[in-house]
Amino acid sequence: MNALTEKLRLRLDEDQLTNCMRCGFCLPACPTFAETGLEAESPRGRIALMKAVTDGIMVPDQAFEDQMNHCLGCRACEPACPAGVQYGQLIEQARDAIEDHKEHKTWVKVTRKAAFKTVFPHQERMKWVGRGLQFYQKSGLRTVAHASGAMKLFPKHMRDMEKILPDASGKGVVEKIGDRHPAKGEKVATVALFRGCIMDVLFTETNIHTVDLLTAAGFEVIIPREQNCCGALHAHSGEAEGARDLARRNIKTFKAAGVDYIVSNAGGCGAILTEYDHLLHEDPQWRDDAVWFAERVVDISDLLVRAGRSLDFSQDKTQGGEEPVRITYQDSCHLRNVMKSADAPRKLMRQVEGAQFIEMKNADRCCGSAGIYNVTQPVMAGQILDHKMEHVEATGASYLLTSNPGCLLQMKHGIDEQGLSGQMKAVHIVDFLHERMKK
């Protein structure tokens, strides 16, 4: 028996595979199927390939591996599925088996080890990455790299991403403002902020603004220092055991904090955090604590809407007689499809005085970021982004808001590519609300 076949048989959930009724409701929801029209590029098609392997009908070859990796993992198929198939779990199980089996080239092995074992699991090392990037951006090296043509040594999609990176920081939210923040006025509840790894070095101000919004809404905020990466990139990239290790460390840290809620401001992080119970369901030592943790994870928009005191977003940015600023919103796939939060961000945006919310066509369709998908699959990611930007431009909005750092960078890239920088700005919803909150 093929070694990969055996690994797939052991790891793929047979119940989930057989639950798929081949009805096709997932097809219109799938971005890669929408782009290609190929059955194999759909959730139904990929499940059929997995089932064929576990049934011994086909041997998993390179084409099989490519198809598993070609999935964005946006999970838009799950809300569309009448049988409730947990497709996201299947694709992660398949990738975990593939990664366990695959022999990479040396440079790939070194890169993966550096990312998944050396850097991302360690918050202090992420800060050194932030310091290095900050030095590159502020010292003049960035100007030299662009002026000398050195950037041409990198692929176009990496050059494009480098252009739109925000200013990095070597200090995270805790180093800048401390780890405990009392509620303003009567306390509603005590919450812990999940600060993230990339969020904390590239979007430090967004984390700070998150604390401001929460305390203004009546929440005492604790930021546990010992927390680490959520494990999302590990889980999506076939590093399941690494994701479980990170989950155990986070659960221990946040359980000790004894909070009512664990707040995320990044849809990708929040989704994996809500699924720690599944990630550790076979670990009897951590199973119950993982359930405790997952039940308390909530996106900041949801928490503000359902439990916080009303905030005053009347810091009107228009001047006498001017038209309200037009804003639109791109859903974070994982926030919408996994955390089931689509209404809360929109409710908050509609509360902002001097702003007119314009619903974008297909706002729920993936933008092509999908973690590191826009790096590993730049052609498909580019096609998806091009179509997304057609809908963005049609709104005529001045602000394009989203709730996830990967989506935000992808939207910045789209705006830059389409030459819209002079008329539109991509902003995290937290930063937009914070700017317009009456202080």
Side-chain angles (χ1 to χ4, degrees), residues 181-183 187-189 191 214-215 217-221 261 303-304 307-308:
H181 304 273
K187 186 173 81 170
V188 175
V191 305
L214 288 169
T215 54
F219 298 103
E220 178 186 11
V221 180
Y261 299 99
L303 186 61
L304 291 176

Side-chain angles (χ1 to χ4, degrees), residues 145-171:
H146 284 265
S148 66
M151 291 304 299
K152 293 180 181 178
L153 297 172
F154 296 91
K156 181 180 183 302
H157 65 279
M158 294 188 71
R159 299 198 302 269
D160 292 339
M161 282 294 126
E162 186 272 345
K163 279 197 301 183
I164 50 84
L165 281 178
D167 291 340
S169 172
K171 293 182 178 180

Side-chain angles (χ1 to χ4, degrees), residues 233-295:
L233 290 179
H234 292 72
H236 303 332
S237 303
E239 299 280 348
E241 192 49 50
R244 284 190 279 270
D245 285 342
L246 292 168
R248 293 182 187 103
R249 285 155 57 184
N250 276 328
I251 291 167
K252 180 180 179 181
T253 296
F254 283 88
K255 189 79 186 291
V259 294
D260 302 303
Y261 299 99
I262 299 166
V263 182
S264 167
N265 57 15
C269 295
I272 189 74
L273 297 176
T274 63
E275 294 192 330
Y276 274 7
D277 53 345
H278 169 74
L279 199 60
L280 296 173
H281 74 281
E282 293 183 347
D283 186 334
Q285 183 178 348
W286 289 91
R287 187 185 300 131
D288 291 344
D289 284 345
V291 171
W292 177 93
F293 183 99
E295 288 177 346

Side-chain angles (χ1 to χ4, degrees), residues 65-327:
E65 294 182 26
D66 290 344
Q67 195 50 258
M68 297 302 109
N69 290 326
H70 217 212
C71 171
L72 288 145
C74 70
R75 297 173 67 170
C77 52
E78 292 184 12
C81 179
V85 175
Q86 297 299 301
Y87 172 81
Q89 295 172 11
L90 287 173
I91 200 71
E92 288 180 3
Q93 290 162 1
R95 288 173 176 172
D96 185 46
I98 290 169
E99 188 56 38
D100 196 30
H101 169 77
K102 196 170 184 66
E103 281 297 322
H104 288 296
K105 294 178 181 178
T106 302
W107 71 269
V108 176
K109 286 181 180 178
V110 170
T111 302
R112 289 184 67 94
K113 183 177 181 181
F116 296 125
K117 292 183 169 58
T118 306
V119 179
F120 281 114
H122 305 282
Q123 201 76 25
E124 288 304 316
R125 293 175 189 173
M126 282 298 301
K127 287 172 191 166
W128 278 108
V129 171
R131 292 182 190 114
L133 188 54
Q134 186 180 48
F135 179 76
Y136 165 74
Q137 292 173 330
K138 302 293 186 183
S139 67
L141 280 177
R142 186 178 200 174
T143 303
V144 171
H146 284 265
S148 66
M151 291 304 299
K152 293 180 181 178
L153 297 172
F154 296 91
K156 181 180 183 302
H157 65 279
M158 294 188 71
R159 299 198 302 269
D160 292 339
M161 282 294 126
E162 186 272 345
K163 279 197 301 183
I164 50 84
L165 281 178
D167 291 340
S169 172
K171 293 182 178 180
V173 61
V174 171
E175 289 75 22
K176 288 200 169 187
I177 63 172
D179 57 6
R180 297 190 75 92
H181 304 273
K184 294 175 182 175
E186 186 179 352
K187 186 173 81 170
V188 175
T190 301
V191 305
L193 173 65
F194 187 83
R195 65 188 177 189
C197 48
I198 293 173
M199 279 295 297
D200 216 33
V201 298
L202 287 183
F203 300 95
T204 316
E205 290 301 310
T206 305
N207 275 344
I208 293 171
H209 294 163
T210 299
V211 173
D212 287 345
L213 288 173
L214 288 169
T215 54
F219 298 103
E220 178 186 11
V221 180
I222 298 170
I223 313 173
R225 292 175 180 268
E226 294 78 14
Q227 62 179 289
N228 50 238
C229 174
C230 64
L233 290 179
H234 292 72
H236 303 332
S237 303
E239 299 280 348
E241 192 49 50
R244 284 190 279 270
D245 285 342
L246 292 168
R248 293 182 187 103
R249 285 155 57 184
N250 276 328
I251 291 167
K252 180 180 179 181
T253 296
F254 283 88
K255 189 79 186 291
V259 294
D260 302 303
Y261 299 99
I262 299 166
V263 182
S264 167
N265 57 15
C269 295
I272 189 74
L273 297 176
T274 63
E275 294 192 330
Y276 274 7
D277 53 345
H278 169 74
L279 199 60
L280 296 173
H281 74 281
E282 293 183 347
D283 186 334
Q285 183 178 348
W286 289 91
R287 187 185 300 131
D288 291 344
D289 284 345
V291 171
W292 177 93
F293 183 99
E295 288 177 346
R296 282 161 178 75
V297 177
V298 61
D299 182 73
I300 179 172
S301 294
D302 260 340
L303 186 61
L304 291 176
V305 167
R306 79 182 194 210
R309 291 201 307 269
S310 294
L311 297 175
D312 183 355
F313 298 115
S314 62
Q315 191 71 26
D316 193 348
K317 295 299 172 180
T318 63
Q319 301 299 321
E322 288 186 13
E323 291 292 323
V325 63
R326 293 165 68 93
I327 61 176

